[in-house]
Amino acid sequence: MDKPADTRQSIIDAVLRIIGDEGIAALSNRRIAKEAQVSLGSVTYHFATQHELLRESLLHFVAQETRRFTELAENCAAADGLDVEGAAELVETVAEGTAFDSRHIAPFELYIQAGRDERLRAAAADCFAAYDRLACGILDRLGLPDPQRLAGAVVALVFGQQLRRLATGSPAEELVDTLLLLTGVAAPDACGTAARSTPGPHRPA
């Protein structure tokens, strides 16, 4: 017999898949139960309302992403001087590691829903705080001034570029080049892309 925690996890995974494939409007308890391969009663037992379903699904995704990004940020902080090449590799790891399957498309839908439902905003804020910490660690290692202030703008850029990738199929390299150019840690080459061969961390005058 499945443990209650396993059933709950199956329901959350099903919610993320459905949202990613068809959007929040496609959610119904019957559809979730079929996707999760659990009884209809199990859905209502574990989640009394659709709001609770959405909130817990977003929080679950946030928890996983926070763990992943925290590990990256800690590795960044432990590095003995992060140069442009290293920063590019970190950003590319995040970008390319975000496969646009249904589970990773779902959070974009949930962030938009948080704009409509303020009860989801605390969960969304937790996720962005994790992204900010990672960005701040990278910017600090590159020697950029006031990394905490810049972090939010960098995260917004990453999300915008990721949304562009999702909508157009553009490669992850575009995100990396744009980020390096706009933060001023790499100069454009003759083709207008970021030259990543600048040695050593950037130290502003």
Side-chain angles (χ1 to χ4, degrees):
M1 179 179 293
D2 289 341
K3 297 178 181 178
D6 294 335
T7 300
R8 184 181 179 88
Q9 185 60 58
S10 295
I11 293 170
I12 287 174
D13 289 340
V15 168
L16 290 171
R17 287 196 300 272
I18 294 169
I19 292 174
D21 285 337
E22 300 178 46
I24 291 174
L27 285 179
S28 70
N29 286 351
R30 192 173 300 279
R31 173 69 188 283
I32 294 166
K34 181 179 180 180
E35 182 73 23
Q37 297 183 334
V38 300
S39 69
L40 182 60
S42 293
V43 178
T44 54
Y45 173 79
H46 286 282
F47 302 98
T49 65
Q50 187 178 89
H51 160 71
E52 187 180 353
L53 264 171
L54 295 177
R55 178 179 176 276
E56 292 303 313
S57 297
L58 181 55
L59 284 173
H60 171 71
F61 182 84
V62 168
Q64 289 195 323
E65 290 290 271
T66 298
R67 283 193 294 270
R68 183 163 75 94
F69 290 142
T70 298
E71 289 176 3
L72 286 171
E74 287 174 351
N75 291 338
C76 171
D80 185 16
L82 182 68
D83 60 11
V84 173
E85 289 287 344
E89 288 176 8
L90 276 171
V91 174
E92 208 154 359
T93 295
V94 172
E96 291 184 342
T98 304
F100 285 130
D101 53 18
S102 59
R103 189 176 176 282
H104 282 85
I105 294 174
F108 285 94
E109 295 270 0
L110 288 167
Y111 293 139
I112 292 172
Q113 186 64 22
R116 303 186 182 104
D117 185 348
E118 64 181 13
R119 295 172 298 177
L120 292 175
R121 291 177 190 170
D126 286 345
C127 196
F128 280 98
Y131 299 143
D132 286 351
R133 286 192 295 271
L134 175 60
C136 187
I138 295 173
L139 295 171
D140 183 55
R141 285 289 161 178
L142 287 171
L144 291 173
D146 204 359
Q148 290 185 332
R149 184 178 181 184
L150 286 174
V154 169
V155 170
L157 170 63
V158 171
F159 265 78
Q161 286 289 101
Q162 288 289 69
L163 186 58
R164 180 173 178 169
R165 283 185 63 214
L166 173 62
T168 67
S170 60
E173 287 80 0
E174 286 190 8
L175 166 60
V176 179
D177 289 338
T178 301
L179 185 60
L180 294 180
L181 285 171
L182 292 184
T183 55
V185 299
D189 59 21
C191 296
T193 57
R196 305 185 195 178
S197 58
T198 305
H202 172 77
R203 298 291 174 189

